[in-house]
Amino acid sequence: MLSTTPRTRLTRSKERGRTSREDLYAVLDAGLVCHLGVVVDGAPRVIPTGYGRIGDTLYLHGSTGSLSLRGPGEVCVTVTHVDGVVLARSVFHHSMNYRSAMVYGRPRLVRDEEERLAGLRAITEQLAPGQWDATRPPTRKELAATAVVAISLDEASVKVRQGPPSDDPEDYATPIWAGVLPLRLSWGAPETDPAMTSEVEVPAHVSSRPDPGR
Amino acid sequence: MLSTTPRTRLTRSKERGRTSREDLYAVLDAGLVCHLGVVVDGAPRVIPTGYGRIGDTLYLHGSTGSLSLRGPGEVCVTVTHVDGVVLARSVFHHSMNYRSAMVYGRPRLVRDEEERLAGLRAITEQLAPGQWDATRPPTRKELAATAVVAISLDEASVKVRQGPPSDDPEDYATPIWAGVLPLRLSWGAPETDPAMTSEVEVPAHVSSRPDPGR
């Protein structure tokens, strides 16, 4: 079960809330990019970035020089999947079908070399499954240039909207088309780097990667 | 031209920066959802939400009871398109192809009825082009329940990465496949609301909506 804190308690559209950790994992694991919110000089900053998950820990990485993950401040990490546009009979009830997760926490700079590698592996595999073992591993120098932070999934909320529009009762009789226009994500054909110096087949984990889905 | 302020000046991957207002418009206009960053009790909060643009103003809406758009605080609005996964010869150089825009500003609560309607129209049409005129317009009561805010596009930055991986020179000779796995968004077949009480054809602006693209 996801715990409820004042800021993860839904105040609106409560019926969209999900409360199991499995729902949280499913939303996080289906994503490629999260939006990381930090406070810089009192103002919010929202940065798109990759991430990975191991159990109840989220891992993010950045250059050791980057500001966003430094400092002891709290962050908010949001992952959103838009599944479709909800076309209602009234302008007012237009909406989106979506799955989203919000995680609040205080990033912990990972110093343990083993956990750092595990975190980087999780981040790489979330972006590109199979690539950690298929490509050149990080050098000592590359590792030194990379900061890895861990964020606990202790404080998180999940919101999901699916299905047809919810119109006002009196609008259902109007002859206005209503429904959902689903949005799909799919991988295109792999584009081989023109700088490839030898003939290498596209590996199966790339050419047969399942489309990002639900 | 986009103006440069300390926080919109890129400190890393400067070659990914774009500086024309047309680049900003293109990224914003191609999106369905933005990630709105606000500061609540000193901590960041990142909320996915719809938006619309008219000229150099971004419009967002919410329930009049919602916390996120109230108050005089600054916000950051980020729109991100993931165009593909960049598969390098080394773990370290894995990346994403993307287009993203970040807008900083202080939301202005729109009180003028004409601008409120124009803002709501822009938000609706961004989500669902053609629907503003095809569906029941908002009632006085619905309008009263909706807060509309305007954010100037004065302070914004755009970052774009496209193309093959950039590996270290010594890695190009290794027989490791490298390239890009493109990610595509497409609309599925419209799903008519099962609660439709009359036979109405799917309107052309829904059935023939161009896929979200570049």
Side-chain angles (χ1 to χ4, degrees):
Chain A
M1 287 284 290
L2 299 176
S3 65
T4 302
T5 66
R7 58 188 177 182
T8 62
R9 187 177 296 126
L10 301 184
T11 51
R12 297 178 50 243
S13 304
K14 289 193 184 68
E15 74 287 357
R16 298 183 185 171
R18 296 285 181 277
T19 53
S20 87
R21 301 205 72 81
E22 282 62 40
D23 291 321
L24 175 64
Y25 299 157
V27 171
L28 295 177
D29 294 356
L32 290 169
V33 78
C34 69
H35 281 81
L36 167 70
V38 296
V39 178
V40 179
D41 298 332
R45 181 171 300 186
V46 178
I47 304 141
T49 187
Y51 65 95
R53 180 182 74 85
I54 302 176
D56 282 312
T57 305
L58 208 61
Y59 289 96
L60 277 73
H61 71 333
S63 139
T64 47
S66 114
L67 273 177
S68 322
L69 292 171
R70 253 196 249 155
E74 279 191 282
V75 303
C76 175
V77 176
T78 298
V79 172
T80 306
H81 309 285
V82 178
D83 294 322
V85 175
V86 178
L87 303 162
R89 295 155 183 86
S90 60
V91 161
F92 188 74
H93 285 292
H94 276 65
S95 186
M96 284 182 221
N97 280 339
Y98 64 90
R99 294 157 290 147
S100 74
M102 286 170 68
V103 177
Y104 293 98
R106 212 171 272 277
R108 164 176 63 85
L109 186 66
V110 180
R111 296 176 191 280
D112 177 79
E113 234 12 72
E114 204 174 314
E115 187 185 2
R116 272 167 54 80
L117 271 175
L120 288 173
R121 185 189 178 108
I123 295 166
T124 305
E125 290 289 302
Q126 176 96 18
L127 180 71
Q131 284 290 99
W132 183 270
D133 290 325
T135 60
R136 175 177 68 66
T139 62
R140 207 174 288 253
K141 196 181 154 191
E142 288 170 344
L143 286 173
T146 309
V148 179
V149 300
I151 299 165
S152 145
L153 294 180
D154 279 353
E155 190 178 358
S157 65
V158 176
K159 257 176 112 171
V160 176
R161 194 217 184 276
Q162 302 292 328
S166 292
D167 269 304
D168 288 339
E170 57 271 28
D171 286 329
Y172 278 85
T174 56
I176 297 173
W177 185 86
V180 170
L181 187 60
L183 189 61
R184 311 266 182 239
L185 276 171
S186 57
W187 299 112
E191 298 166 352
T192 298
D193 184 350
M196 286 278 292
T197 53
S198 51
E199 283 286 328
V200 181
E201 250 186 273
V202 184
H205 68 266
V206 174
S207 57
S208 305
R209 180 169 182 177
D211 285 335
R214 310 181 175 211
Chain B
M1 286 286 287
L2 299 177
S3 64
T4 303
T5 67
R7 57 187 177 184
T8 62
R9 186 176 297 126
L10 301 185
T11 51
R12 298 177 50 242
S13 302
K14 291 195 183 66
E15 74 288 355
R16 299 183 184 171
R18 295 286 182 278
T19 53
S20 87
R21 302 206 70 84
E22 282 61 41
D23 291 320
L24 175 64
Y25 300 157
V27 172
L28 294 177
D29 294 354
L32 290 169
V33 78
C34 68
H35 281 80
L36 167 70
V38 296
V39 178
V40 180
D41 298 332
R45 180 171 298 186
V46 178
I47 303 141
T49 188
Y51 64 94
R53 181 182 73 85
I54 302 176
D56 281 312
T57 306
L58 209 61
Y59 289 96
L60 277 72
H61 72 333
S63 137
T64 46
S66 114
L67 274 176
S68 322
L69 291 173
R70 252 196 249 155
E74 277 190 283
V75 303
C76 175
V77 176
T78 298
V79 172
T80 306
H81 309 284
V82 178
D83 294 323
V85 175
V86 179
L87 303 161
R89 294 151 183 87
S90 60
V91 161
F92 189 75
H93 284 294
H94 276 65
S95 185
M96 284 183 221
N97 280 338
Y98 64 89
R99 293 157 291 148
S100 74
M102 287 171 68
V103 177
Y104 293 96
R106 211 170 272 277
R108 165 176 62 84
L109 186 66
V110 180
R111 297 176 190 279
D112 177 78
E113 231 18 64
E114 202 174 317
E115 187 184 3
R116 272 166 55 79
L117 271 175
L120 288 173
R121 185 189 179 107
I123 296 166
T124 304
E125 290 288 303
Q126 175 97 15
L127 180 71
Q131 284 291 98
W132 183 270
D133 289 326
T135 59
R136 175 177 69 68
T139 62
R140 206 174 288 253
K141 196 181 154 190
E142 289 171 344
L143 285 173
T146 307
V148 179
V149 299
I151 299 164
S152 144
L153 294 180
D154 278 353
E155 190 178 358
S157 65
V158 176
K159 255 175 114 171
V160 176
R161 193 216 184 276
Q162 303 292 329
S166 291
D167 268 303
D168 288 340
E170 58 270 29
D171 286 329
Y172 278 85
T174 57
I176 297 173
W177 186 86
V180 171
L181 188 59
L183 189 61
R184 308 266 182 241
L185 276 171
S186 57
W187 299 111
E191 298 167 353
T192 299
D193 185 350
M196 286 278 293
T197 53
S198 51
E199 285 286 327
V200 181
E201 250 185 275
V202 184
H205 67 267
V206 174
S207 58
S208 305
R209 181 170 180 176
D211 286 334
R214 310 181 175 213

